[in-house]
């Protein structure tokens, strides 16, 4: 295992701040790729590919992907202000989703040419990170045909439930954005959108805390998710400090 990923926990970061930081990291990864163009790993001027993984939580915010429909946001500007929720149109795939406290957001900035150049496999592997994390809590997550993200099966009392949303963006095979894993967010905020454009009555949104019926320590979840990332993407970690962290 020769890949190294720089890990940073941003703590609570505004969506705009984290988005801008992701973009700066992506630009740096692409700049290094350009410098390596035409070189071999054995060449003296060759620079080892760099990768980053960011964890954070956001203050309440709705984000709308490139092909999302604005009508899937059920609040107007005044109502957003009243609820204290921000809104951004962004460059990831997917429709509208919610980010907020109690949700673990993971942003991999990976040069996929150093892993595998397969977008479908990349998204499936992100899903597997969450599926394997849920398994540690004896919850069986799965993929739902026709949708991205991680789901829980319907029961006699509940419909199919989405516990993790995924939306990614790639530029020159470098990824940004990622997934939002519901640990203990305010699920009421999902009522103001049509999450990920899913309008079927037989599907809902849930959280790990709701499914377990007890509180969950976010730091414990982060440890498991970090481990699953390293195992499934086959890399080692190097922890770095977020420059904006006080």
């Amino acid at each position: 295992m020769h890949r190294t990923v720089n890990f940073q926990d941003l703590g609570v970061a505004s969506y705009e701040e984290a988005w801008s930081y992701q973009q700066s990291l992506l630009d740096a990864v692409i700049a290094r790729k350009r410098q390596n163009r035409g070189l071999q790993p054995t060449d003296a001027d060759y620079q080892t590919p760099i990768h980053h993984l960011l964890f954070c939580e956001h203050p309440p915010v709705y984000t709308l992907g490139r092909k999302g429909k604005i009508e899937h946001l059920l609040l107007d500007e005044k109502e957003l202000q009243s609820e204290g929720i921000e809104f951004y149109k962004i460059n990831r795939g997917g429709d509208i989703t919610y980010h907020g406290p109690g949700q673990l957001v993971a942003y991999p900035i990976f040069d996929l040419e150093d892993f595998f150049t397969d977008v479908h496999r990349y998204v499936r592997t992100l899903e597997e990170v969450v599926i394997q994390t849920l398994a540690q809590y004896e919850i069986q997550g799965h993929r739902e045909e026709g949708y991205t993200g991680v789901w829980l099966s319907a029961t006699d009392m509940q419909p199919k439930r989405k516990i993790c949303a995924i939306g990614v963006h790639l530029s020159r095979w470098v990824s940004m954005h990622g997934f939002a894993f519901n640990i203990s967010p305010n699920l009421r905020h999902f009522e103001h959108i049509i999450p990920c454009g899913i309008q079927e009555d037989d599907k809902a949104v849930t959280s790990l805390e709701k499914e377990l019926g007890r509180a969950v320590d976010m730091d414990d979840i982060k440890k498991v998710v970090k481990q699953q990332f390293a195992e499934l993407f086959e890399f080692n970690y190097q922890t770095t400090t977020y420059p904006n962290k006080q």
Side-chain angles (χ1 to χ4, degrees):
M1 188 187 299
H2 301 295
R3 301 184 198 96
T4 298
V5 170
N6 298 313
F7 173 76
Q8 298 177 59
D9 188 337
L10 310 189
V12 178
S14 73
Y15 191 84
E16 186 174 19
E17 176 186 356
W19 187 12
S20 175
Y21 187 48
Q22 283 186 80
Q23 186 65 56
S24 70
L25 294 176
L26 179 140
D27 291 344
V29 173
I30 290 176
R32 178 168 292 205
K33 285 168 67 80
R34 288 196 178 109
Q35 291 174 357
N36 282 340
R37 190 176 298 154
L39 299 177
Q40 298 299 319
T42 53
D43 292 340
D45 293 335
Y46 182 83
Q47 299 187 60
T48 303
I50 53 174
H51 314 282
H52 304 272
L53 177 61
L54 312 179
F55 281 0
C56 69
E57 294 179 67
H58 292 306
V61 60
Y62 296 125
T63 66
L64 184 68
R66 293 188 308 272
K67 297 182 179 179
K69 298 180 179 179
I70 189 63
E71 56 265 32
H72 291 164
L73 173 62
L74 307 180
L75 300 178
D76 60 26
E77 186 174 347
K78 185 176 181 180
E79 290 168 327
L80 283 170
Q81 292 177 351
S82 176
E83 290 283 342
I85 303 177
E86 295 186 299
F87 172 71
Y88 291 96
K89 293 181 179 180
I90 61 173
N91 62 344
R92 62 160 170 78
D95 204 287
I96 195 165
T97 195
Y98 166 75
H99 298 307
Q103 188 182 67
L104 175 57
V105 181
Y107 293 133
I109 297 92
F110 292 170
D111 179 356
L112 292 184
E113 288 190 305
D114 196 37
F115 291 87
F116 44 77
T117 51
D118 184 331
V119 177
H120 181 80
R121 179 181 173 187
Y122 175 61
V123 173
R124 298 292 84 80
T125 308
L126 290 179
E127 291 168 343
E128 192 65 22
V129 168
V130 176
I131 290 170
Q132 293 301 322
T133 299
L134 290 171
Q136 299 293 313
Y137 291 84
E138 300 184 344
I139 293 177
Q140 186 173 358
H142 70 270
R143 299 173 182 86
E144 185 71 8
E145 186 174 355
Y147 299 96
T148 58
V150 178
W151 298 75
L152 307 184
S153 297
T155 66
D156 292 341
M157 302 294 293
Q158 299 185 83
K160 294 176 181 177
R161 298 160 328 278
K162 191 171 191 177
I163 197 167
C164 177
I166 292 179
V168 303
H169 172 73
L170 268 70
S171 177
R172 298 180 183 273
W173 286 110
V174 179
S175 65
M176 66 181 291
H177 300 297
F179 68 63
F181 184 10
N182 295 336
I183 310 304
S184 58
N186 183 348
L187 294 176
R188 186 182 67 84
H189 287 156
F190 286 96
E191 298 173 3
H192 302 313
I193 60 174
I194 300 174
C196 304
I198 299 167
Q199 303 187 56
E200 293 94 331
D201 292 334
D202 64 340
K203 294 180 175 65
V205 177
T206 191
S207 68
L208 182 58
E209 184 173 280
K210 181 178 180 179
E211 296 298 323
L212 292 174
R214 62 176 174 83
V216 183
D217 187 275
M218 180 67 83
D219 287 337
D220 290 343
I221 294 290
K222 289 177 180 179
K223 290 175 184 176
V224 179
V225 172
K226 277 186 68 176
Q227 179 184 358
Q228 294 303 323
F229 259 109
E231 291 181 2
L232 291 166
F233 282 96
E234 299 182 345
F235 61 74
N236 294 311
Y237 280 110
Q238 174 177 300
T239 301
T240 54
T241 302
Y242 180 40
N244 292 0
K245 198 172 183 64
Q246 300 298 317

